[in-house]
Amino acid sequence: MAVSGLIRAGMFTSGDAALDDNRRAVDEAAAINARCLVLVAGGLAPQSRDLDAARDIVRDGIEKLLPYARAAGIALAIEPLHPMYAADRACINTMAQANDLCDALGSGLGIAIDVYHTWWDPDLAAEIARAGKNPGRILAFHICDWLVPTSDLLLDRGMMGDGVIDLRRIRAWVEEAGYTGPCEVEIFSAANWWKRDPRRSCGSASSGFRSAAERGAADLLGPCS
């Protein structure tokens, strides 16, 4: 069994303990031989309204963490989160921002693409292609669906095919950019899927993936199948 990634570390804007906490997370990722350690950047610093300053803190935090992660053989994967989380969870909200950080900070840093957080971005295709010009930059690919209406901004993700995300299209972009890892299903669903029999939920995930996200022969079915 392989570990696709350890989720999550980051929260660089939370205070002075963030670096030590993240080093421990690197150790944990190394202990389980994870493919990567996913970073959720952190939102505004305490008592601050300065989003630019928060992004500077995140950049500095990743820069300080990278030598430790490189020595441990663990790749760090920035996960851009939807802008609705900019205040409290992640001030890195677009693929462009994640790519810029990777360009600036160098090897050992990549991106985790979650369709829930990125599907809305008009520059998504171009930024996925940009990431693909750097082999190995795309470290993870998370899928689910965006329900309309949605009842909770964190815990009401939809099963693939139940919402409005064009999963096949985004998956094609990711694979055309050179990604060969797994498609990871992430269904945070407190009021629906988490209340059901886990076996039925897994069965629905499998059928939802095949109907909404699996690419057919005409699409050159790739490694996520």
Side-chain angles (χ1 to χ4, degrees):
M1 180 181 292
V3 180
S4 56
L6 178 62
I7 303 174
R8 60 179 165 76
M11 295 298 170
F12 295 99
T13 57
S14 61
D16 294 338
L19 182 58
D20 287 340
D21 289 343
N22 282 305
R23 284 173 173 164
R24 281 192 291 271
V26 168
D27 293 341
E28 292 167 358
I32 60 175
N33 197 28
R35 173 186 173 96
C36 64
L37 175 63
V38 176
L39 303 179
V40 173
L44 293 170
Q47 311 304 315
S48 173
R49 291 184 173 87
D50 192 334
L51 196 55
D52 289 334
R55 290 173 176 145
D56 288 341
I57 293 170
V58 169
R59 185 188 190 282
D60 291 345
I62 295 175
E63 188 171 24
K64 291 175 182 176
L65 181 62
L66 264 171
Y68 191 84
R70 288 171 182 143
I74 295 297
L76 303 179
I78 304 166
E79 182 174 6
L81 264 58
H82 194 284
M84 65 188 174
Y85 296 121
D88 60 344
R89 288 181 178 270
C91 59
I92 304 303
N93 307 114
T94 66
M95 280 284 295
Q97 291 168 341
N99 269 320
D100 287 347
L101 285 170
C102 291
D103 287 346
L105 299 180
S107 65
L109 186 62
I111 302 173
I113 302 173
D114 187 325
V115 297
Y116 190 76
H117 296 301
T118 60
W119 73 275
W120 59 273
D121 186 350
D123 296 322
L124 183 58
E127 290 298 327
I128 289 174
R130 175 184 169 191
K133 294 177 181 178
N134 300 271
R137 178 172 290 186
I138 301 174
L139 292 168
F141 181 48
H142 302 163
I143 63 171
C144 60
D145 218 332
W146 184 284
L147 299 177
V148 177
T150 187
S151 62
D152 188 288
L153 297 181
L154 178 63
L155 299 177
D156 191 36
R157 294 191 181 200
M159 196 65 74
M160 292 75 65
D162 289 349
V164 298
I165 300 176
D166 191 342
L167 294 168
R168 282 196 183 93
R169 189 182 190 195
I170 297 175
R171 178 181 169 184
W173 293 340
V174 169
E175 291 182 356
E176 287 162 7
Y179 180 72
T180 60
C183 297
E184 301 178 64
V185 175
E186 282 193 339
I187 308 293
F188 301 158
S189 178
N192 187 357
W193 294 104
W194 287 358
K195 290 185 174 181
R196 303 192 189 196
D197 183 319
R199 292 169 295 182
R200 291 184 179 273
S201 294
C202 287
S204 295
S206 178
S207 60
F209 174 83
R210 291 187 178 280
S211 66
E214 187 173 67
R215 300 175 67 199
D219 301 310
L220 298 178
L221 184 61
C224 286
S225 59

